[in-house]
Amino acid sequence: MSFLDIRRATKSYGTVEVLHSVDISVEEGEFLVLVGPSGCGKSTLLNMIAGLESITGGEIAIKGRTVNGVHPSKRNIAMVFQSYALYPNMTVAQNMTFGLEMHGVPKAERDHALADVAKLLQIDHLLDRKPGQLSGGQRQRVAMGRALVRKPDVFLFDEPLSNLDAKLRVDMRTEIKKLHQKLGTTIVYVTHDQIEAMTLSTRIAVMNKGHVQQLGTPREIYDRPANVFVATFMGSPAMNIIPASVVVKDGCPNARVADADGVERLLPFSQPNLAGREGREILLGIRPEAITDPEGADRKSSNIVAMSNRVGVAEPAGSDTFVTMTLSGRDVIGRIRADANVTSGEPFSFAINMEKAVAFDPKTEERIVH
């Protein structure tokens, strides 16, 4: 039995089911991120764990105790919201200890918890200030501190960084990760930002239209996406999805594609079992970093394919240059070294790492398991 168990959980509003039989188990100390586009059901699921939304079907258990119907105050969870939800008329110290006071915790114990958490979050110099005197990042720390002083079984974060500017988001992301590593707390974190999901989590649940599309480690989600949705949602830029067909040559399966001039090219797979799909259509998935220049290619790969193709657009991005080319009528993005000599409209010799390629069924859009 896991620390937090979500078993066949469903949520309906009238006749409309918005969450469909969700199964997720979270171990103690794990950092699970629920990620997906707006309206996918991730915040609804978080609110069901918190008790802010009732569960229509299935079961949610914390530490082996079923909490269906249990009041939020009796679940021993703490939630950090996008809006901070601080009391403007209270000081930072009062905001952080208000929940403890309401639960009858003695003042000496409250003060000790406040001092520990304020020092941990480096906000001990702000305790006498009001929320209106704080920056966005400081308010977020206070909201986190209010959750930490309670020492809950599970921390729930609902898009806590979405109100911050880009640089502060990166800084706070680092702080949350350091906090998790130091305290070993169990966290369920909701975001629509796949960068947050990849950098913070120990595991990710990718959601869409009320279904969990894939549950796995960041590396599993990134390298072996379960379907086209996961492949294109996770990663920036997204995985390239290219129409292709399987051609077997000398016993080796190849993806047959067409370059910018319509000339057919064969890209050999590293997965021999795809030979059983000879002549069938597939969708070829390749991450941008697996399409690069020869000097930037992965030296450890045993399947680097050289391919000349005309460059569409070159976009310098500091440490890298993103280039587009056409394969099978689709714009395909590659990531090459910043100092590579590339010119829009001119041929360029690409190095494609086919060890990193995955194949999807064009009808179901599910990954063809190798």
Side-chain angles (χ1 to χ4, degrees):
M1 183 176 290
S2 300
F3 197 74
L4 168 65
D5 278 302
I6 303 166
R7 307 185 191 104
R8 301 176 301 282
T10 63
K11 177 64 180 177
S12 299
Y13 296 101
T15 59
V16 180
E17 190 170 272
V18 296
L19 275 180
H20 313 286
S21 197
V22 172
D23 278 298
I24 300 174
S25 293
V26 183
E27 300 298 332
E28 185 171 7
E30 194 168 10
F31 197 129
L32 174 74
V33 174
L34 307 176
V35 66
S38 297
C40 72
K42 55 189 185 295
S43 289
T44 299
L45 180 57
L46 194 79
N47 288 335
M48 287 163 59
I49 299 169
L52 303 178
E53 292 264 11
S54 61
I55 182 169
T56 305
E59 184 179 53
I60 295 175
I62 299 174
K63 295 175 69 173
R65 171 190 173 220
T66 299
V67 294
N68 293 27
V70 175
H71 192 271
S73 64
K74 306 296 184 184
R75 296 190 181 202
N76 198 27
I77 55 94
M79 197 159 182
V80 180
F81 297 95
Q82 174 182 342
S83 61
Y84 316 133
L86 302 176
Y87 295 108
N89 59 322
M90 292 185 181
T91 64
V92 166
Q94 290 168 334
N95 265 284
M96 288 173 63
T97 58
F98 182 70
L100 296 179
E101 188 175 352
M102 290 299 97
H103 281 82
V105 176
K107 186 177 187 306
E109 193 175 330
R110 295 199 310 264
D111 290 344
H112 181 72
L114 174 65
D116 285 349
V117 172
K119 184 178 179 181
L120 178 68
L121 294 173
Q122 299 177 357
I123 54 173
D124 38 353
H125 62 295
L126 304 174
L127 295 179
D128 294 327
R129 296 190 191 179
K130 300 283 183 68
Q133 299 172 292
L134 306 178
S135 68
Q138 289 170 335
R139 290 180 201 173
Q140 188 55 266
R141 286 173 187 265
V142 174
M144 289 166 57
R146 181 179 54 193
L148 284 168
V149 294
R150 292 179 48 199
K151 297 182 179 178
D153 291 327
V154 181
F155 289 90
L156 306 178
F157 287 80
D158 191 7
E159 305 215 32
L161 308 184
S162 59
N163 285 339
L164 305 180
D165 63 54
K167 183 183 183 305
L168 193 51
R169 286 182 75 165
V170 173
D171 292 343
M172 286 301 297
R173 206 163 64 208
T174 302
E175 290 303 315
I176 291 173
K177 182 137 191 168
K178 282 161 54 175
L179 197 64
H180 178 253
Q181 290 172 344
K182 185 170 185 176
L183 300 178
T185 50
T186 305
I187 295 175
V188 181
Y189 186 107
V190 160
T191 183
H192 64 274
D193 185 329
Q194 47 91 18
I195 300 294
E196 275 182 35
M198 293 290 293
T199 54
L200 286 173
S201 67
T202 54
R203 277 197 308 159
I204 299 172
V206 184
M207 299 183 66
N208 189 36
K209 297 179 180 178
H211 294 276
V212 174
Q213 301 290 319
Q214 186 172 0
L215 177 64
T217 66
R219 182 52 55 194
E220 288 168 346
I221 297 285
Y222 193 78
D223 287 345
R224 297 185 295 281
N227 53 42
V228 170
F229 174 81
V230 176
T232 53
F233 188 80
M234 301 300 292
S236 181
M239 178 178 274
N240 298 296
I241 304 296
I242 308 159
S245 58
V246 177
V247 173
V248 177
K249 184 178 180 182
D250 299 328
C252 174
N254 294 259
R256 180 167 57 193
V257 297
D259 66 15
D261 298 316
V263 177
E264 289 190 349
R265 303 296 187 92
L266 295 182
L267 302 174
F269 280 106
S270 295
Q271 299 84 16
N273 68 321
L274 283 168
R277 291 182 171 253
E278 182 172 14
R280 294 169 65 179
E281 300 297 314
I282 60 167
L283 294 174
L284 173 66
I286 307 179
R287 293 281 180 197
E289 61 271 20
I291 302 174
T292 186
D293 56 282
E295 291 299 315
D298 184 356
R299 302 297 178 193
K300 297 178 183 178
S301 174
S302 60
N303 192 5
I304 300 293
V305 181
M307 178 178 162
S308 179
N309 203 2
R310 194 156 21 90
V311 172
V313 177
E315 298 178 334
S319 58
D320 301 299
T321 295
F322 292 104
V323 297
T324 63
M325 62 173 170
T326 300
L327 283 178
S328 298
R330 296 273 181 95
D331 282 340
V332 172
I333 298 175
R335 185 183 223 149
I336 67 174
R337 291 174 303 120
D339 58 355
N341 186 17
V342 59
T343 305
S344 298
E346 296 295 323
F348 183 78
S349 180
F350 291 94
I352 301 177
N353 185 0
M354 287 297 289
E355 262 191 11
K356 298 292 186 180
V358 292
F360 302 96
D361 186 298
K363 291 183 179 178
T364 66
E365 296 195 344
E366 297 292 313
R367 180 168 58 91
I368 300 167
V369 180
H370 307 315

